[in-house]
């Protein structure tokens, strides 16, 4: 599905990522873990074409996408739920969801995918005609996730989904991610600071420190790793 090899990227003369390598298989949830400033968001931007890597490779379904446009990458099936949600706050919930149907295929399947989203997040159907900016933070995150799912992703990237949300709301969103992976074979790249919740959701994980992969392993192994426990779990 996704293979990142020796990815280097940054902003201008400042390099942020150093030889980042990881893999993600079909129907798998992989967590990218690390503290704020570790390079996680830069990595996501490099994968989605928003930042052009200085070297390295990003292969998605057998095709090199490292130098492709963001639109090409989106059409290929990589859809991101951005950090901070980035909704159109003056538009209604439904109008925001309609923005997720960005090409002919997703527009043709919009109504059936909308009903699926309403089943995953029933509150959105109740709030369909309400301005997105008037929703709670948790409800806005639901809109952001649903908008991404309207785009019919093969790979769903969740960038810091727990940021500023109550634990029960985070659990609801991560449970949807689990369901998608298990029942529809969508792959999920979970980029998260909350290591406890991320490892409870993911199959495998990679810990990024100072722009480099410091650790990798199964979610179970990472949750019992002494470095992870001391540095991130406070144990």
């Amino acid at each position: 599905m996704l293979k990142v090899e020796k990815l280097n990227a940054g902003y201008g003369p400042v390099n942020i990522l150093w030889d980042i390598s990881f893999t993600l298989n079909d129907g798998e949830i992989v967590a990218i873990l690390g503290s704020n400033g570790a390079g996680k968001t830069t990595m996501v931007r490099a994968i989605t074409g928003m930042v052009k890597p200085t070297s390295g490779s990003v292969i998605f379904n057998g095709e090199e996408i490292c130098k492709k446009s963001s639109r090409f990458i989106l059409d290929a099936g990589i859809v991101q739920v951005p950090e901070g949600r980035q909704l159109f706050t003056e538009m209604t919930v439904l109008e925001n969801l309609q923005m997720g149907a960005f090409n002919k295929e997703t527009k043709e399947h919009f109504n059936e995918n909308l009903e699926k989203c309403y089943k995953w997040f029933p509150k959105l159907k109740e709030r369909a005609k309400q301005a997105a900016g008037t929703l709670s933070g948790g409800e806005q995150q639901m809109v952001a996730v649903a908008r991404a799912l309207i785009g019919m992703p093969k790979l769903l990237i969740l960038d810091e989904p727990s940021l500023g949300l109550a634990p029960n709301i985070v659990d609801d969103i991560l449970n949807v991610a689990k369901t998608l992976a298990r029942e529809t074979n969508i792959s999920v790249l979970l980029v998260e600071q909350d290591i406890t919740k991320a490892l409870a959701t993911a199959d495998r994980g990679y810990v990024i420190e100072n722009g480099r992969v410091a650790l990798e392993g199964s979610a179970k192994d990472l949750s019992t790793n002494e470095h992870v426990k001391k540095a991130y779990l406070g144990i």
Side-chain angles (χ1 to χ4, degrees), residues 79-82 85 87 93-94 96-102 106 110 112-125 135 138-153 156 158 173 176 180:
V79 182
Q80 178 186 357
V81 179
R85 300 178 283 274
L87 301 181
V93 167
L94 179 58
N96 272 273
L97 297 181
Q98 289 171 332
M99 297 297 290
F102 56 88
T106 53
F110 174 75
E112 63 184 90
N113 289 327
L114 179 64
E115 289 306 313
K116 290 178 183 178
C117 288
Y118 284 160
K119 288 180 181 178
W120 287 319
F121 303 114
K123 286 186 178 180
L124 299 188
K125 189 169 187 177
L135 303 183
E139 290 168 341
Q140 288 187 26
Q141 186 68 296
M142 292 176 191
V143 176
V145 173
R147 179 179 61 187
L149 297 178
I150 292 290
M152 300 172 63
L156 177 66
L158 297 175
I173 290 169
V176 169
L180 289 168

Side-chain angles (χ1 to χ4, degrees), residues 54-72:
T54 54
S55 64
S57 177
V58 180
I59 299 172
F60 181 63
N61 283 339
E63 183 170 8
E64 175 63 72
I65 62 170
C66 211
K67 298 185 184 299
K68 301 292 187 180
S69 68
S70 292
R71 181 53 192 253
F72 179 93

Side-chain angles (χ1 to χ4, degrees), residues 180-233:
L180 289 168
R182 304 295 179 261
E183 296 183 3
T184 68
N185 214 38
I186 290 175
S187 301
V188 178
L189 189 64
L190 175 58
V191 183
E192 184 56 77
Q193 288 186 57
D194 188 331
I195 288 185
T196 301
K197 287 192 178 298
L199 291 179
T201 303
D203 300 300
R204 296 187 296 114
Y206 296 80
V207 178
I208 296 182
E209 294 179 350
N210 300 316
R212 293 177 169 85
V213 174
L215 293 167
E216 62 180 277
S218 69
K220 181 179 179 180
D221 288 345
L222 287 177
S223 65
T224 58
N225 181 278
E226 289 301 319
H227 175 74
V228 172
K229 288 165 67 175
K230 290 178 182 179
Y232 299 100
L233 303 179

Side-chain angles (χ1 to χ4, degrees), residues 82-95:
E83 179 182 355
R85 300 178 283 274
Q86 298 184 26
L87 301 181
F88 298 94
T89 56
E90 295 183 0
M91 294 168 60
T92 67
V93 167
L94 179 58
E95 288 169 338

